[in-house]
Amino acid sequence: MMYFSEKKDVVTIGALDFVLYLSAREIQNKIREVAKQIENDYANENPLFLIVLNGAFMFAADLIRNLDIACDVDFVKVSSYKGLASTGRLDVKIANEKELKGRHVIILEDIVDSGFTLDQYLPMVQAQDPASLKVCTLLEKPEAKKFETQVDYTCFKIPTKFVIGYGLDFDEAGRNLPHIYQLIDEYR
Ligand code: 5GP
Ligand code: MG
């Protein structure tokens, strides 16, 4: 069960408390900046955005809405399984529908944590022979990185703490929050 109010700066989900970390206003301001960069970089390229579900849906909607250039969108769903073995595995649950060959592809991610997802997924996209491939992420945790992976546009670099809101979930809760909240790990 989740309780929250837009006016409160702490959100409680189950036994966990999260404190306001990035406000909707800060997020929107940064997204406008990054959208301008992408506009400049892709003015005549008709880029194809590959939106990684579920977490990136809100970010993608706001970023693309701010772009004043022609573009296409497509959606993919991937999930990682890190079992007991040291080598994880990435499952493509929903693959892209549009052809990537010859296209300028930009992957939109919610968060780059260890880098595992992109480490596994980028070669699958490269194998489809795009004209170019870039990665744009809302959040990045530089200190959590275990895989040296390509990231071209980052809205916010954040510490290695669990965050929710603005598309990101904790056990599927919290995706609808307009702000981003950070787990309070040392509590009272
Ligand atoms: P990776 O370790 O492969 O870079 O990140 C894998 C996935 O873990 C992300 O796409 C995201 O779904 C999830 N993840 C990593 N850090 C966080 C976080 O702080 N909050 C939430 N909600 N998900 C996270
Ligand atoms: Mg994700």
Side-chain angles (χ1 to χ4, degrees), residues 82 110-117 141 161-163 168-169:
K82 292 169 208 171
D110 54 355
I111 183 162
V112 180
D113 183 28
S114 71
F116 173 80
T117 305
K141 294 177 176 171
K161 290 189 176 182
F162 194 78
V163 291
L168 291 104
D169 72 306

Side-chain angles (χ1 to χ4, degrees), residues 141-154:
K141 294 177 176 171
E143 286 136 36
K145 195 155 291 180
K146 295 201 189 91
F147 299 86
E148 268 321 312
T149 187
Q150 174 193 352
V151 182
D152 301 282
Y153 305 95
T154 300

Side-chain angles (χ1 to χ4, degrees), residues 71-146:
C71 63
D72 287 350
V73 301
D74 200 357
F75 299 88
V76 298
K77 193 164 188 169
V78 299
S79 62
S80 46
Y81 289 99
K82 292 169 208 171
L84 297 173
S86 59
T87 51
R89 185 166 74 90
L90 192 81
D91 242 24
V92 177
K93 307 248 179 199
I94 300 174
N96 54 288
E97 226 168 48
K98 296 208 163 88
E99 188 168 331
L100 307 187
K101 189 175 168 61
R103 298 298 307 269
H104 294 283
V105 173
I106 306 174
I107 293 176
L108 294 186
E109 259 283 25
D110 54 355
I111 183 162
V112 180
D113 183 28
S114 71
F116 173 80
T117 305
L118 287 176
D119 182 70
Q120 297 283 303
Y121 184 57
L122 284 176
M124 300 184 201
V125 177
Q126 282 293 8
Q128 297 177 60
D129 207 16
S132 69
L133 177 58
K134 284 194 181 177
V135 176
C136 174
T137 186
L138 173 67
L139 303 170
E140 186 180 356
K141 294 177 176 171
E143 286 136 36
K145 195 155 291 180
K146 295 201 189 91

